[in-house]
Amino acid sequence: MNRIEEALKDKKSFIGYITAGHPTIDISEKVIYKMVEAGTDLIEIGIPFSDPNAEGEVIHNANIKALKNGMKIEKAFDLVETVRKKVNVPIVFLTYCNPVFKYGYDEFFKKCKEVGADGIIVPDLPFEERDEMKVFADKYGIIMITLVPPVSKNRIEMLAKDAKGFAYLVSSMGLAGVRKKFPDGVKEFAKFVKENTNIPILIGFGIENEEQIKEMSEISDGIILDSAIVNIIEESGEEAPEKVFKFIKEIKNTIA
Amino acid sequence: MNKGRYGQHGGQYMPEVVMEEMKKIEKTFYECIEDESFIKEYKDLLKNYVNRPSLLYYAKNISEDLGGAKVYLKREDLNHTGAHKINNVIGQALIAKKLGKTRLIAETGAGQHGVATATIAALFGMECEIFMGKEDTDRQALNVYRMKLLGAKVNAVREGTETLKDAVNATIRELAGRFDDTFYVLGSAVGPHPYPAMVKYFQSVISKEAKKQILEVEGKLPKAVLACVGGGSNAIGMFADFIEEKDVRLIGCEAAGLGIETGKHAATITTGEVGIFHGMKSYFVQDSQGQIAPVYSISAGLDYPGIGPEHSYLHETKRAEYVPVTDEESVQAFEYLAKKEGIICAVESSFALSKALEIAKEYRPEDSIIVCLSGRGDKDVAAIARYRGENIDE
């Protein structure tokens, strides 16, 4: 069992996302410590991309802001290297194909291992194309997290069987960003994925309020929040670490 | 070669959520082009609605003035809606119908693809929504209004550089959220498989006709065929039937903007590097971090940081040449064509024309070259006037 599966087993887990360098690298670091202190079980760190076309507006804007502030891939590695000295929770990068391809697959995953990252999520890399990157991720023991959207059963089965670390269930059609309501059938969808894999299944994409958090955590092994946290960071500036801490504390109580 | 791969280029790098849809489109496309009734319906529409075959026009005045090869213009500007885009849109819209879709969405740069999509949606009685960068809606206001007249909803995309690249991002997002009833009509030879293959298939009518027409009038193949290249849909159509004719030069003309050295350009092959974006592996203008770079061209249609995967392959295998042409060179060619032949072409097309005027002199009067005149210039007249320091009311 790898560090990710170990950290998420036998409980209701919470995963939080931030965009590295949004609004500054210093705030990102402080937010990470507070997320861990509040009980976050795994941290997703977005390496910003100029055109994150699988994200909603909030994360897209955070990516652009971070890049404008001089965010670089190397700085994201430095951030993980720094926080890894103080925190033990698994850390997973989220970024797009092109930054990884341009950095060089071998070099990128070697660096992930060196700084202590555990996994990667690449939203524009589907099952059919993942081998070209996975060979290198495997070489350095970095887990490629599988996104499982509510599509056909055959495809879900294929995705779930191959998944390692945790299965990232996409709550509804469409892309990241908060939603008012989830579609019918999400319960059956989560149940079906659960039946097809032995690893934890967590639900993300567009979860915002307490009611949704409760509803989603009941049918899964935990929840993932992205835009909601990025929103708080965007609105709070220097106070972001404290505000995020409070927000996550409440969530942890809700799903416990 | 693998289906959907052109050497190392191509592929299907899309969010997982749309992969099943991509597979359905792929399967349906290959079934349709084997289906006689589909091909008949497509050809009937090209003939009776688009007004094909388009003319292969001998530009006598230009040819005599230059004193080199005979310059022929493949008049895609005479198609219904005024550009080559309609060839592809009809094909894709028929596939959308086969898939039971009732709503078409599309990205557009200069607006020609948006107009073509809105037109076919009107003809087929389908709902239509177009995504266009905010900056492009400003500089191509005429086409925005045409789309609205045709019943389409036009969304001005206000993110990133507010141009074509961002319009593609927005359309991919829209597709991911709604594909039960929606089909993404992609306008250029870019994107995930099967789009580059589909666009080539539907645009290859340009070179099929041109080849037949030139053999009829000249009795031999041309020395070169030229087309402008943004994503490269008219170019792949102009090249398609000549790729196997090794003695015919294939020349794609990229937007060098204010000059390559200024950094304000959209010359992907000249300055780009291999990357993965918008569903494909191909060449992209990007920085050392793999961030897609902002690009610039006087032509909204060429203002795209990537190029179709087959073009990248034709470049790497040296089958085709890709050359940069500046705004100034294209505007000069635009004005020259208007004065010499009485044809106002799209500013995109004038990039290819500029290079053609240059190379024509390398050949003899018994030789010929063909330029794809991809569209007409109504939409660009005000922009050219502004470029020359004149303000006119559209």
Side-chain angles (χ1 to χ4, degrees):
Chain A
M1 194 179 287
N2 56 61
R3 175 149 65 173
I4 299 176
E5 286 167 30
E6 188 71 44
L8 304 179
K9 73 173 181 188
D10 304 330
K11 63 174 175 189
K12 295 286 179 192
S13 301
F14 170 75
I15 294 179
Y17 166 92
I18 60 156
T19 298
H22 168 244
T24 66
I25 199 85
D26 182 50
I27 290 178
S28 294
E29 187 185 334
K30 286 177 183 156
V31 169
I32 291 171
Y33 296 141
K34 282 292 181 185
M35 285 168 86
V36 175
E37 200 187 320
T40 305
D41 298 288
L42 182 150
I43 295 193
E44 257 185 58
I45 298 182
I47 298 176
F49 180 50
S50 54
D51 295 84
N53 57 26
E55 318 293 347
E57 202 183 343
V58 171
I59 295 179
H60 190 140
N61 289 340
N63 275 242
I64 301 301
K65 196 176 244 185
L67 288 172
K68 273 197 183 139
N69 288 342
M71 193 59 204
K72 305 253 189 249
I73 299 174
E74 213 57 54
K75 288 185 185 175
F77 283 132
D78 291 346
L79 174 67
V80 174
E81 194 168 27
T82 306
V83 301
R84 186 43 92 210
K85 287 173 190 151
K86 297 188 189 172
V87 304
N88 282 319
V89 298
I91 293 176
V92 169
F93 281 127
L94 185 149
T95 194
Y96 283 70
C97 284
N98 205 44
V100 184
F101 178 76
K102 190 75 172 53
Y103 199 87
Y105 291 152
D106 195 288
E107 197 55 30
F108 185 91
F109 289 106
K110 189 174 158 209
K111 197 79 193 176
C112 284
K113 189 182 178 187
E114 278 171 18
V115 300
D118 302 282
I120 187 168
I121 301 169
V122 189
D124 60 343
L125 189 68
F127 186 83
E128 280 78 356
E129 302 288 357
R130 55 191 248 145
D131 283 357
E132 70 176 69
M133 200 184 276
K134 195 168 180 291
V135 172
F136 295 96
D138 286 352
K139 181 177 165 188
Y140 296 103
I142 306 300
I143 290 170
M144 292 187 70
I145 304 297
T146 305
L147 286 161
V148 188
V151 284
S152 73
K153 288 201 166 181
N154 288 345
R155 194 157 179 93
I156 291 172
E157 218 172 308
M158 174 181 89
L159 294 170
K161 286 221 160 90
D162 181 71
K164 297 232 162 18
F166 68 94
Y168 190 140
L169 266 62
V170 180
S171 62
S172 54
M173 299 308 270
L175 302 164
V178 291
R179 284 171 182 76
K180 293 263 180 298
K181 188 179 175 290
F182 293 102
D184 302 335
V186 63
K187 220 178 242 183
E188 289 70 25
F189 164 51
K191 189 166 166 270
F192 184 71
V193 180
K194 192 86 191 148
E195 284 164 9
N196 279 279
T197 180
N198 295 319
I199 60 173
I201 64 158
L202 281 90
I203 302 189
F205 271 48
I207 300 172
E208 189 191 31
N209 58 41
E210 199 182 327
E211 193 189 332
Q212 290 172 338
I213 288 166
K214 246 187 194 157
E215 190 188 338
M216 292 298 132
S217 67
E218 273 165 18
I219 58 168
S220 67
D221 298 312
I223 60 155
I224 305 165
L225 290 194
D226 41 36
S227 303
I229 295 176
V230 174
N231 248 335
I232 294 173
I233 296 172
E234 175 65 30
E235 287 164 5
S236 321
E238 292 287 337
E239 290 169 32
E242 256 338 294
K243 294 261 170 76
V244 171
F245 176 80
K246 277 187 196 150
F247 178 67
I248 294 175
K249 265 281 185 198
E250 281 170 26
I251 293 166
K252 285 292 286 187
N253 287 337
T254 309
I255 65 175
Chain B
M1 199 179 291
N2 285 340
K3 227 184 223 179
R5 285 282 174 182
Y6 307 89
Q8 65 169 320
H9 302 288
Q12 278 180 314
Y13 301 87
M14 289 297 274
E16 189 58 55
V17 66
V18 298
M19 282 305 285
E20 203 157 38
E21 187 66 8
M22 289 300 129
K23 303 271 174 207
K24 272 188 208 159
I25 297 171
E26 180 184 350
K27 186 169 173 281
T28 309
F29 165 63
Y30 286 108
E31 280 169 6
C32 283
I33 61 176
E34 294 297 323
D35 175 356
E36 275 176 31
S37 66
F38 177 91
I39 298 296
K40 187 179 176 302
E41 191 177 3
Y42 174 62
K43 286 188 171 168
D44 280 352
L45 282 161
L46 286 186
K47 185 180 169 197
N48 299 311
Y49 191 68
V50 177
N51 198 30
R52 299 204 71 94
S54 71
L55 290 177
L56 183 72
Y57 169 73
Y58 170 45
K60 187 163 173 275
N61 298 342
I62 284 181
S63 305
E64 285 176 2
D65 190 42
L66 296 172
K70 290 178 197 160
V71 178
Y72 283 87
L73 305 175
K74 182 62 177 158
R75 299 288 308 274
E76 294 301 301
D77 59 315
L78 297 179
N79 292 343
H80 178 49
T81 72
H84 70 290
K85 295 290 186 187
I86 191 107
N87 307 325
N88 167 50
V89 170
I90 288 184
Q92 287 196 36
L94 286 172
I95 289 174
K97 269 177 50 175
K98 281 266 175 209
L99 284 161
K101 310 288 174 150
T102 55
R103 178 173 176 259
L104 303 179
I105 56 170
E107 86 297 341
T108 197
Q112 292 302 100
H113 176 60
V115 168
T117 307
T119 300
I120 297 308
L123 181 71
F124 288 180
M126 296 167 99
E127 198 187 327
C128 182
E129 206 160 325
I130 304 295
F131 295 82
M132 189 171 186
K134 169 71 174 58
E135 189 182 320
D136 293 339
T137 59
D138 292 341
R139 56 180 171 172
Q140 301 290 352
L142 183 67
N143 272 343
V144 173
Y145 194 67
R146 287 169 77 195
M147 287 179 247
K148 287 180 182 166
L149 279 177
L150 292 158
K153 182 179 171 201
V154 182
N155 297 293
V157 179
R158 292 170 185 271
E159 59 188 35
T161 53
E162 300 189 346
T163 59
L164 182 55
K165 152 184 95 97
D166 309 289
V168 176
N169 289 340
T171 323
I172 290 174
R173 271 199 197 113
E174 178 69 17
L175 177 72
R178 184 173 169 185
F179 46 75
D180 285 352
D181 65 346
T182 299
F183 185 92
Y184 180 2
V185 182
L186 219 167
S188 201
V190 300
H193 178 64
Y195 280 102
M198 276 201 295
V199 174
K200 181 188 183 186
Y201 181 86
F202 294 126
Q203 292 295 3
S204 66
V205 65
I206 302 173
S207 54
K208 280 184 184 136
E209 286 177 8
K211 192 178 196 178
K212 189 166 171 258
Q213 290 164 324
I214 198 83
L215 287 172
E216 272 168 20
V217 291
E218 291 292 331
K220 60 180 178 181
L221 292 171
K223 290 290 179 189
V225 297
L226 300 97
C228 63
V229 185
S233 69
N234 87 95
I236 208 66
M238 185 74 245
F239 294 173
D241 227 35
F242 293 107
I243 291 173
E244 295 305 318
E245 306 288 356
K246 303 290 183 201
D247 293 332
V248 179
R249 285 173 71 188
L250 312 176
I251 304 175
C253 301
E254 299 192 315
L258 303 180
I260 297 293
E261 68 291 348
T262 66
K264 285 195 170 298
H265 60 76
T268 310
I269 294 277
T270 310
T271 67
E273 288 177 44
V274 178
I276 302 170
F277 184 50
H278 279 167
M280 60 182 171
K281 192 178 277 179
S282 194
Y283 280 81
F284 296 96
V285 187
Q286 53 183 307
D287 69 10
S288 62
Q289 295 281 304
Q291 307 297 345
I292 304 302
V295 288
Y296 161 80
S297 170
I298 189 174
S299 154
L302 301 184
D303 203 352
Y304 182 71
I307 186 167
E310 190 168 2
H311 286 297
S312 292
Y313 176 71
L314 293 172
H315 161 69
E316 281 180 358
T317 55
K318 299 195 172 11
R319 176 63 192 98
E321 305 158 48
Y322 294 87
V323 296
V325 175
T326 64
D327 283 356
E328 178 57 30
E329 289 166 329
S330 82
V331 172
Q332 281 181 20
F334 176 94
E335 292 166 338
Y336 179 74
L337 182 70
K339 291 203 172 85
K340 285 284 172 195
E341 300 286 351
I343 296 171
I344 295 175
C345 70
V347 66
E348 289 91 338
S349 315
S350 65
F351 281 77
L353 183 68
S354 171
K355 187 67 187 173
L357 301 177
E358 185 190 316
I359 70 160
K361 296 168 198 159
E362 297 168 16
Y363 298 102
R364 300 154 65 87
E366 59 268 31
D367 298 329
S368 66
I369 60 177
I370 305 175
V371 184
C372 183
L373 219 63
S374 54
R376 70 177 184 223
D378 312 24
K379 69 182 172 55
D380 299 315
V381 170
I384 299 288
R386 276 196 299 277
Y387 181 82
R388 287 300 188 213
E390 260 184 79
N391 266 321
I392 55 169
D393 287 329
E394 284 190 55

